[in-house]
């Protein structure tokens, strides 16, 4: 007889989350891991995280509010300002030692790369339940590979193959969206991949009762995320330059990353220095204020498996214009809450931005309300419920739609 989620509620679990990227890294996967650890700890579970050190030195353990975090020895990546990786021959022994100490009931890996791969192998060797979530596309590696595109294509194919080899050993495999699951079917040959939203706390970005946030004197277009090659923020800057002058659009770019200097130079060359603001990394409170003051959110990235920042902007009742690529089409009902644009086409993007910004305030507000209503199915608590059931033995079949 098949068990149900209610049958599987039992004692607290010891959960080991293996994360190749984790705060202080700034990206969607790192943020998801932090929220997952926080949520599971709040539910009474004993949560441990394995992640790389943000600096040099041997493995160490730190007690944090969200979990016990074990920082493995890591090395800098010469082509990135802060990202670090763990080398297999330096971490395998520490991983085995930590398994002896932690004695996890379940392991949840967040990628098939260095830490995730060897945690899977160790868990399988010990007969421990494994859940694997994929947050990455091979394109995410491009900024770290100073090689010709043909070589990057080879790396991409190898990465897909390795994903299939590693994640096929998991008891349940998930990824944030149906399109991402389909990509894993096609390229990594993983047959059962459960689409499961990363989830957000939508209420964090809504106006509280009686709250007002003063708007700017000019309309604001915003981008939030890593300033990385695959985000194609240069296309957005070009598009702002091509919008009609009478709209007087200002662009706010939130985040840090390897292409920031090039983007600043681009804005200055296009005469946009006084209309493009680069905030760098900001606090959660400051980010909430950006969302609530924004008239239009744009995501030009072409390798998004979900885009948590887009969901956050939508939960703040903001219209969106998104690249017609990977998982982003799931977040747009064309003409209702925004538009899709042809990837890397700044003319099309400029036209879609102008179309929305020419609408009346009432029509733009209706678009924003439509965005807000679409976010309801991405609630974090529902995501945590599903993962908790999977940790206790729930299967792909239990949750597949």
């Amino acid at each position: 007889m098949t068990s149900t989620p209610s049958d599987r509620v039992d004692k607290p679990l010891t959960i080991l989350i293996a994360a190749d990227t984790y705060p202080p890294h700034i990206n969607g996967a790192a943020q998801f891991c932090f929220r997952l650890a926080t949520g599971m700890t709040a539910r009474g579970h004993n949560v441990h995280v394995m992640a790389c050190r943000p600096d040099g030195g041997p493995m160490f353990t730190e007690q944090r509010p969200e979990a016990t975090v074990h920082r493995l020895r890591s090395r800098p990546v010469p082509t990135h300002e802060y990202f670090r990786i763990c080398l297999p021959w330096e971490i395998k022994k520490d991983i085995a030692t930590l398994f002896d100490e932690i004695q996890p009931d379940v392991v949840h890996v967040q990628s098939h790369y260095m830490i995730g791969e060897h945690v899977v192998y160790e868990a399988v060797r010990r007969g421990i339940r494994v859940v694997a979530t994929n947050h990455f596309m091979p394109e995410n590696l491009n900024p770290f590979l100073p090689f010709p595109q043909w070589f990057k294509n080879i790396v991409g194919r190898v990465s897909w193959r390795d994903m299939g080899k590693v994640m096929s050993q998991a008891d349940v495999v998930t990824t944030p969206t149906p399109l991402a699951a389909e990509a894993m079917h096609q390229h990594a040959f993983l047959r059962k991949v459960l689409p499961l939203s990363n989830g957000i706390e939508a209420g964090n970005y809504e106006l509280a009762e009686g709250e007002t946030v003063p708007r700017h004197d000019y309309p604001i277009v915003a981008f939030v995320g890593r300033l990385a090659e695959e985000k194609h923020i240069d296309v957005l800057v070009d598009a702002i330059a091509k919008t009609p002058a009478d709209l007087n659009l200002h662009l706010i770019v939130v985040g840090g990353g390897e292409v920031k200097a090039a983007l600043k130079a681009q804005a200055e060359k296009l005469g946009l220095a006084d209309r493009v603001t680069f905030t760098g990394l900001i606090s959660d409170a400051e980010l909430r204020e950006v969302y609530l003051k924004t008239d239009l959110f744009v995501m030009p990235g072409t390798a998004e498996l979900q885009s948590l920042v887009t969901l956050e902007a939508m939960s703040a009742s903001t219209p969106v214009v998104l690249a017609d690529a990977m998982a982003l089409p799931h977040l747009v009902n064309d003409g209702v809450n925004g538009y899709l644009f042809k990837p890397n086409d700044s003319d099309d993007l400029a036209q879609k931005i102008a179309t929305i910004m020419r609408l009346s305030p009432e029509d733009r507000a209706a678009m924003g309300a439509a965005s807000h209503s679409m976010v309801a199915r991405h609630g974090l608590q529902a995501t945590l419920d599903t993962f908790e059931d999977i940790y206790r033995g729930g299967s792909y079949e239990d949750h597949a739609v």
Side-chain angles (χ1 to χ4, degrees):
M1 184 176 69
T2 302
S3 62
T4 65
S6 60
D7 296 330
R8 293 190 284 267
V9 176
D10 201 351
K11 65 179 180 63
L13 299 170
T14 296
I15 302 167
L16 172 58
I17 299 170
D20 282 86
T21 181
Y22 193 75
H25 289 173
I26 307 293
N27 58 64
Q31 188 64 20
F32 167 75
C33 292
F34 173 80
R35 291 173 176 172
L36 176 65
T38 300
M40 291 301 167
T41 293
R43 293 174 177 225
H45 300 295
N46 178 24
V47 181
H48 294 255
V49 175
M50 280 190 200
C52 66
R53 279 188 70 132
D55 52 15
M59 188 270 289
F60 74 95
T61 296
E62 58 179 333
Q63 297 296 329
R64 292 169 54 106
E66 78 276 13
T68 302
V69 180
H70 308 277
R71 297 286 188 175
L72 301 174
R73 183 186 291 274
S74 68
R75 302 291 178 180
V77 177
T79 53
H80 196 279
E81 63 179 329
Y82 67 79
F83 206 80
R84 299 178 70 89
I85 61 170
C86 296
L87 302 177
W89 54 90
E90 292 186 332
I91 63 173
K92 289 172 68 173
K93 184 176 180 180
D94 285 336
I95 287 174
T97 299
L98 287 170
F99 265 83
D100 290 338
E101 295 175 2
I102 297 167
Q103 295 290 307
D105 297 303
V106 62
V107 163
H108 189 173
V109 302
Q110 306 299 318
S111 80
H112 68 284
Y113 293 116
M114 308 299 186
I115 297 175
E117 177 182 14
H118 291 284
V119 166
V120 166
Y121 294 158
E122 190 66 27
V124 170
R125 187 176 72 82
R126 295 170 183 248
I128 297 170
R129 183 170 179 78
V130 177
V131 180
T133 295
N134 177 47
H135 299 278
F136 296 96
M137 292 289 291
E139 289 90 337
N140 298 139
L141 296 174
N142 284 351
F144 312 122
L145 301 175
F147 304 115
Q149 189 58 47
W150 65 266
F151 186 81
K152 293 180 180 180
N153 292 341
I154 293 173
V155 173
R157 289 194 293 272
V158 171
S159 183
W160 280 119
R161 184 196 68 196
D162 288 347
M163 181 192 298
K165 181 181 73 171
V166 173
M167 292 196 169
S168 64
Q169 299 180 62
D171 296 279
V172 178
V173 180
T174 79
T175 196
T177 63
L179 275 174
E182 182 59 29
M184 293 167 70
H185 293 323
Q186 291 182 356
H187 302 296
F189 307 107
L190 292 163
R191 298 305 173 197
K192 292 183 178 181
V193 181
L194 179 67
L196 179 56
S197 174
N198 285 335
I200 65 165
E201 291 283 13
N204 290 350
Y205 307 101
E206 299 169 347
L207 282 173
E209 186 175 352
E211 180 185 11
T212 58
V213 175
R215 312 287 280 201
H216 293 281
D217 295 332
Y218 40 78
I220 293 294
V221 176
F223 166 88
V224 177
R226 287 185 304 111
L227 308 191
E229 178 184 319
E230 75 270 19
K231 301 294 186 180
H232 301 294
I233 310 151
D234 59 320
V235 177
L236 174 54
V237 175
D238 277 343
I240 293 296
K242 294 176 179 179
T243 56
D246 66 289
L247 288 176
N248 190 30
L249 300 182
H250 287 239
L251 173 63
I252 292 181
V253 178
V254 178
E258 62 272 11
V259 300
K260 183 176 181 180
L263 292 171
K264 280 189 168 183
Q266 178 188 5
E268 290 177 5
K269 182 179 179 180
L270 293 172
L272 297 175
D274 61 339
R275 290 171 50 201
V276 180
T277 300
F278 294 89
T279 70
L281 302 178
I282 60 178
S283 69
D284 289 343
E286 290 169 323
L287 178 59
R288 178 179 184 271
E289 186 173 339
V290 167
Y291 285 138
L292 290 172
K293 290 184 175 181
T294 291
D295 298 285
L296 175 66
F297 183 84
V298 176
M299 174 50 71
T302 55
E304 302 296 308
L305 284 188
Q306 182 167 46
S307 187
L308 286 176
V309 293
T310 300
L311 288 172
E312 290 168 356
M314 291 170 65
S315 69
S317 299
T318 308
V320 296
V321 176
L322 313 177
D324 189 3
M326 273 311 295
L328 294 177
H330 280 281
L331 303 181
V332 174
N333 187 349
D334 223 38
V336 177
N337 75 309
Y339 292 100
L340 295 172
F341 75 95
K342 184 178 179 181
N344 298 312
D345 188 334
S346 59
D347 291 324
D348 188 34
L349 176 54
Q351 186 267 320
K352 298 293 171 53
I353 290 172
T355 296
I356 290 178
M357 299 313 298
R358 292 267 186 226
L359 295 174
S360 67
E362 293 77 17
D363 286 342
R364 277 205 309 275
M367 272 194 162
S371 279
H372 184 271
S373 66
M374 289 176 67
V375 173
R377 64 179 182 270
H378 295 281
L380 178 61
Q381 294 308 311
T383 296
L384 295 177
D385 287 344
T386 303
F387 274 123
E388 189 173 28
D389 181 64
I390 290 171
Y391 293 163
R392 293 190 183 279
S395 67
Y396 167 88
E397 286 76 14
D398 290 330
H399 297 282
V401 176

